[in-house]
Amino acid sequence: GTLTIAWGIANRNGYASCHGGLKRMIRKDGKKHVMGVFGLSGSGKSTLVKILAGIIGANKGKVQHRFNGNEVSEENIHNHIGFVSPYLVLYEEFSAEENLLMFAKIRGVDYDKQRVDYLFEKFLLLKRKDDLVKTYSSGMKQRLKFIFALMHSPQLIILDEPTSNLDDEGKNSVYEIVREEGKNNIVLIASNEKNDLDLCSETIFLENYKQLN
């Protein structure tokens, strides 16, 4: 299918669209599309991706998600989006798999054990999936957040600072999955890391869209 994001928003940091801001459309039509967003510290990268993921609202303007030609309602956006960020919270007193089972139940989606185990293996956590999350290192928790984001096979994958807290082995797992997912889905990366942005077929520097007034 085709997932289109119609971009025409102004966020709390004063980014808008043509005639003073940012207005774009991302369309997935069978071609690789990995887009990067970067900017100076405090430029609004995290705010922008939160708005696109439906976590917070824009001050004005609208983000519209369309799938197979139909607009996706706000209550169903989470079925199409996978979001990864260092500030997402996991349940420390549960195992990794228990966390994912809980998230699937909250989302109201089936728990695809075969896909989840594939992702556990991909992110080097298969042997630790039954361990409590409180025993995980910060890098392991970050990798678990990728599994959470990808377990329901979303069409739009939004990654905010995706390689923070990761060692080289963890980063390579992320790079591999971005390349893989970018073949069939839209991947949006918010990062200032050169290696992260090198994965992108297009990048946006937020300072170029900052309102002057």
Side-chain angles (χ1 to χ4, degrees):
T2 299
L3 179 68
T4 300
I5 306 170
W7 233 333
I9 61 176
N11 69 24
R12 291 173 177 79
N13 290 307
Y15 292 86
S17 188
C18 58
H19 306 302
L22 179 63
K23 184 174 185 179
R24 305 184 62 84
M25 181 171 286
I26 307 174
R27 184 181 300 276
K28 185 75 185 68
D29 54 5
K31 298 179 181 178
K32 174 185 174 184
H33 204 121
V34 180
M35 175 174 279
V37 176
F38 67 105
L40 303 178
S41 178
S43 62
K45 296 186 301 297
S46 291
T47 301
L48 177 58
V49 295
K50 285 179 185 176
I51 292 172
L52 294 177
I55 296 172
I56 62 174
N59 285 352
K60 60 182 178 180
K62 182 181 180 182
V63 179
Q64 184 183 70
H65 296 266
R66 300 185 70 86
F67 180 63
N68 286 338
N70 299 312
E71 186 171 359
V72 179
S73 63
E74 285 188 20
E75 58 266 25
N76 289 321
I77 285 175
H78 63 275
N79 291 328
H80 299 275
I81 292 178
F83 186 73
V84 175
S85 171
Y87 45 79
L88 293 179
V89 177
L90 300 167
Y91 294 98
E92 299 270 331
E93 299 300 322
F94 293 95
S95 72
E97 186 159 43
E98 286 171 338
N99 266 270
L100 298 177
L101 283 163
M102 192 181 312
F103 293 142
K105 186 174 182 179
I106 292 171
R107 275 195 179 121
V109 298
D110 293 332
Y111 185 76
D112 186 342
K113 182 172 174 55
Q114 184 175 356
R115 175 162 175 80
V116 170
D117 281 349
Y118 162 76
L119 292 169
F120 269 127
E121 185 172 10
K122 202 78 171 175
F123 286 100
L124 313 173
L125 292 174
L126 187 60
K127 294 181 180 179
R128 297 289 305 274
K129 70 176 185 176
D130 294 321
D131 294 352
L132 299 184
V133 171
K134 68 180 181 181
T135 67
Y136 277 26
S137 67
S138 58
M140 292 169 69
K141 291 175 183 177
Q142 178 73 349
R143 282 181 269 148
L144 179 57
K145 291 171 185 178
F146 271 89
I147 300 173
F148 160 67
L150 297 169
M151 61 186 286
H152 59 303
S153 301
Q155 293 83 36
L156 170 63
I157 300 154
I158 299 175
L159 310 178
D160 187 10
E161 306 290 351
T163 55
S164 64
N165 300 321
L166 294 181
D167 57 17
D168 288 343
E169 190 175 28
K171 288 180 181 180
N172 287 333
S173 296
V174 170
Y175 299 151
E176 186 177 341
I177 206 76
V178 167
R179 294 186 189 100
E180 182 179 314
E181 293 293 330
K183 294 175 182 176
N184 299 304
N185 300 304
I186 297 169
V187 182
L188 177 64
I189 299 174
S191 176
N192 285 336
E193 292 290 328
K194 182 181 183 301
N195 288 340
D196 295 355
L197 296 173
D198 282 346
L199 298 168
C200 303
S201 51
E202 182 181 359
T203 57
I204 295 172
F205 180 50
L206 284 182
E207 291 296 322
N208 290 340
Y209 299 91
K210 191 170 184 178
Q211 289 182 327
L212 298 178
N213 54 2

